[in-house]
Amino acid sequence: PAGCEIAHLVTTRATVPWLGNQLDLTQQRVLAAGHQEAVTLTVAFVVATQNGRQVEAEAVHVVRAGPQDDGVHHQPVHHRVLGRGVGAAGRVLDVAVEQSLASAKLGFNPWFTEHHFRGPWHSNPIQFASYIAPQIPPELYLGFGVLSTPYYNPVRLVESMNLLDQLMRGRTLFGIGSGWQGTEAEGLGVDRDYHASGKAAEDTLDVAMKLWRFKDGDAPFDFAVGNHSGHIKRRVMPSPYTTPRLRKT
């Protein structure tokens, strides 16, 4: 989890029966910040040949330390061998899902970021969070740090945020900002200088706030932000579960 420090690092070996060969397992024993419990995370990656075919697998094993009378008792929290031969993107997505669910099982609120042209799940974090949402305990939150607002049509951004907020019954925290200033802005058609100044994010947020306040029967309004424009005469659906409150940092 974020904020943890690696207290112990060892390499061990184990056998996966269906492969019939040895895997190198890297064990990281970390101490969760603000908690008195030690957490062990084991992630294994293997490429092997089975019946003349190259196969791939990953195993994620997270355990919470149990009684420490001899230092070897552990309570398994999550253990699963993931998909075989699913490709690089599929492997990373599988691990990202496993990490999110394992963190939630340990009481951490899953938190996502946004990037484009790198990282299979970063390109659409709201959609990824919607997949995670029904699989975590109902008291936990989902959060974002941050959604890159200049890359969205303001209407689509508000619709997506509202829908996830409804699905989570208000247990969402949306960090919003400009996003990375590298290749993303050019690739997504946002003027580089407009993006780098922060004005693209501010303008998108201004329109989003108008959309959240707009009610049927209000006077229509037009907006134009970068490459996105629209004429608003009806309120966005669905409405948010909670009234949006903006806190600038």
Side-chain angles (χ1 to χ4, degrees):
C4 293
E5 296 180 356
I6 296 178
H8 186 55
L9 178 63
V10 297
T11 300
T12 61
R13 301 180 70 83
T15 299
V16 175
W18 66 269
L19 283 176
N21 73 311
Q22 297 291 312
L23 306 183
D24 286 326
L25 302 183
T26 299
Q27 287 194 331
Q28 293 183 341
R29 187 175 180 82
V30 298
L31 183 63
H35 292 262
Q36 299 299 315
E37 300 169 329
V39 177
T40 301
L41 171 63
T42 302
V43 183
F45 297 90
V46 62
V47 177
T49 300
Q50 183 181 45
N51 299 327
R53 179 176 64 92
Q54 181 171 290
V55 294
E56 300 168 329
E58 299 82 24
V60 178
H61 187 198
V62 180
V63 297
R64 177 182 298 145
Q68 297 299 310
D69 54 332
D70 59 4
V72 297
H73 296 293
H74 294 84
Q75 298 172 336
V77 175
H78 202 78
H79 187 202
R80 179 184 178 192
V81 176
L82 304 177
R84 311 171 191 178
V86 294
R91 295 198 308 274
V92 174
L93 287 169
D94 276 346
V95 171
V97 170
E98 294 297 313
Q99 289 178 341
S100 299
L101 299 183
S103 297
K105 217 163 197 178
L106 293 168
F108 293 94
N109 299 309
W111 205 259
F112 309 110
T113 188
E114 178 173 353
H115 287 293
H116 298 270
F117 309 108
R118 57 181 179 139
W121 64 265
H122 297 80
S123 60
N124 199 330
I126 294 180
Q127 185 174 12
F128 184 80
S130 297
Y131 178 78
I132 298 297
Q135 303 183 67
I136 66 173
E139 69 275 9
L140 294 184
Y141 279 69
L142 289 177
F144 302 86
V146 297
L147 294 177
S148 303
T149 57
Y151 305 145
Y152 292 86
N153 180 305
V155 174
R156 296 293 288 132
L157 176 63
V158 169
E159 287 175 337
S160 298
M161 293 172 69
N162 288 0
L163 180 56
L164 183 61
D165 194 45
Q166 286 284 354
L167 294 173
M168 289 295 295
R169 298 294 189 267
R171 291 173 289 105
T172 52
L173 294 172
F174 294 99
I176 52 180
S178 293
W180 188 46
Q181 296 184 23
T183 59
E184 296 183 355
E186 293 176 336
L188 289 160
V190 179
D191 180 83
R192 190 180 184 91
D193 293 335
Y194 180 48
H195 176 269
S197 69
K199 192 72 166 56
E202 292 177 1
D203 291 348
T204 303
L205 179 58
D206 287 343
V207 175
M209 295 303 295
K210 290 181 180 179
L211 292 169
W212 276 314
R213 291 192 296 262
F214 189 86
K215 298 180 178 62
D216 288 343
D218 289 351
F221 74 90
D222 297 311
F223 73 84
V225 180
N227 296 327
H228 304 296
S229 61
H231 177 71
I232 305 301
K233 55 185 179 181
R234 299 193 64 178
R235 70 184 181 93
V236 170
M237 292 290 288
S239 59
Y241 187 87
T242 52
T243 301
R245 292 175 295 174
L246 179 64
R247 179 185 299 174
K248 292 188 176 182
T249 58

